[in-house]
Amino acid sequence: MIKNILNLGDAALYCDFGNEVNKTTNTQVIKYFQSIKKENIEGINNLTPSYNKLIISFDLKKTNYINLKKKIENLNVDIKDSFKNKEIEIPVCNDQNFSLDIKRLEKRLKLSVEKIYENFYNKKFFCYMTGFIAGMPFLGDLDKNMRAERLETPRVKVPKGSVGLTEQFANIYTFESPGGWNIIGNTPVNIFDSSNEKNPSLINPGDTVIFKSITKDQYKNFNE
Amino acid sequence: MSKNFFKILRAGINTTFQDHGRDNLYHIGIPFSGAMDKRNYLLANKLVGNKTELPVIEFAYQGPLLEFSGERINIAITGDVNFTIKKNNNDINGACYQTFEINNGDKIDILSTNKSVYGYLAVSAQFDLKYQWSSCSTNTKAYIGANEGRKLDNDQKINIIKINKNSNIKKLNYVNTRIENIRVIKGTNFNYFSEQGKKNFFEKEFIISKLSDRMGMRLEGSKIENVVNTNIKSEGLIKGVIQVPADGNPIIMLSDHGTIGGYPKIGVVISADYDKLVQLTPGTKIKFQECELSNAESLFKLYELETQNLISQI
């Protein structure tokens, strides 16, 4: 449940679901997000769900903080209600040309390369949120022994399709972008398709993702 | 082939198509985008007799040099812009907030913005553009919107359709004013910062860094010391949010900002000051001034009223 609502500037509500990052809290955020979206409340022009917060941006010409806060507080959100989600398999190739930071991880985590991939492939990851860059999914949780810090100096260009790890999360770079995650492989799947306006994101909050290992040949032939 | 078009002889530094932007996509990582300075965008359209929310060409610092082919159209440029209209036999010194007639073969040379960043060019017609999520605003980070999500480039053609024959010559008496005090509402992590840091934030001057673009404005000056945690669990951002990373230098999120961020939020620029904030050039010294929510709401109403008054004067 929402613990507290604050204003973020003069045109957004900051809904706080607590300090913890876990599936229970995040599921509540996603349920609120989906319910508010369905309500089509006058003036709301954006909703940003994240691990444990929901930011509701609005058009100050149409509503204001006090009015919208009342509406959100009076909203009946059944957090026990199930929400729609799907399970998606994402093929990943960890050829050395793709696994840019595997050596770094081997040192940091004090795990063998084989062990790192064993802990990564064929496990269920939960999509907490998407964003930062269009369609980028934040997937958790990695096992405790798999958690590493970001690179000290972020890369200027991380190749599109790169699969990275940081702390308890895995993500996928949907575009070439600057970034500091530890890159362990690359997927040939197009995760974000801006020409598909209705469903541009393959992975959405609440979905389950399972990474599957593929060879370099399978990777090459994937889009043919 | 369209018979009315501009040929881009020089694209300029950061020339894109922009309009009102796109709503309801933050949750998948797509920001609002849209014209950085909304007021000047609306005025440009109104001056050429368009609906105020049609796409226009936005440029920064140095604008494009365009050669026109086709039937007569009107154009208007808004902002604080230095430009020339080159006709066969003479050059006309351009003036902002005024409609000019453009005929076949004429060139529009947008030389520079004066002590400001963004300017807008509207035509009494429509640019032939692709819309994505009901906006053609170009978002160069996600390759979304008009021109395949890219900046305009040399030698490209911009096709023009639906010329509005009823566009008249108009003029508006308006001069952009500059602000040095940016009013902000305290952010959700205001208390992450030391007493001295908070004091610095509201009392010291900050200089706008060269590393500023449509995504964000970086500031340099007195460091703002964090005493709680230099990271937060990544959460949503909105335009105008001022984040302070570990190095203590504030960054203001602008229209193409990343939708999620993990740095503490010390404040948020009030909506009424946004259009003027984005026009401040690198090297400008600014100060932040605290503003209460109710005051920010009244100031926005006032600003909107002013914009509407200007529109109705055209």
Side-chain angles (χ1 to χ4, degrees), chain B residues 256-271:
Chain B
D256 284 350
H257 65 85
T259 53
I260 284 172
Y263 299 123
K265 298 170 167 75
I266 194 168
V268 188
V269 175
I270 67 168
S271 298

Side-chain angles (χ1 to χ4, degrees), chain B residues 242-254:
Chain B
I242 308 168
Q243 295 190 106
V244 181
D247 67 9
N249 290 319
I251 306 173
I252 312 178
M253 298 295 109
L254 302 182

Side-chain angles (χ1 to χ4, degrees), chain B residues 4 124 188 203 208 259 269 296:
Chain B
N4 301 298
S124 60
T188 40
E203 285 177 6
I208 299 172
T259 53
V269 175

Side-chain angles (χ1 to χ4, degrees), chain A residues 10 14 45-46 130 135 194, chain B residues 24 26-28 132-133 235 271:
Chain A
D10 54 21
Y14 181 90
N45 57 23
N46 258 306
T130 54
S194 58
Chain B
N24 285 313
Y26 269 22
H27 62 284
I28 53 171
Q132 265 179 302
W133 291 287
E235 58 180 40
S271 298

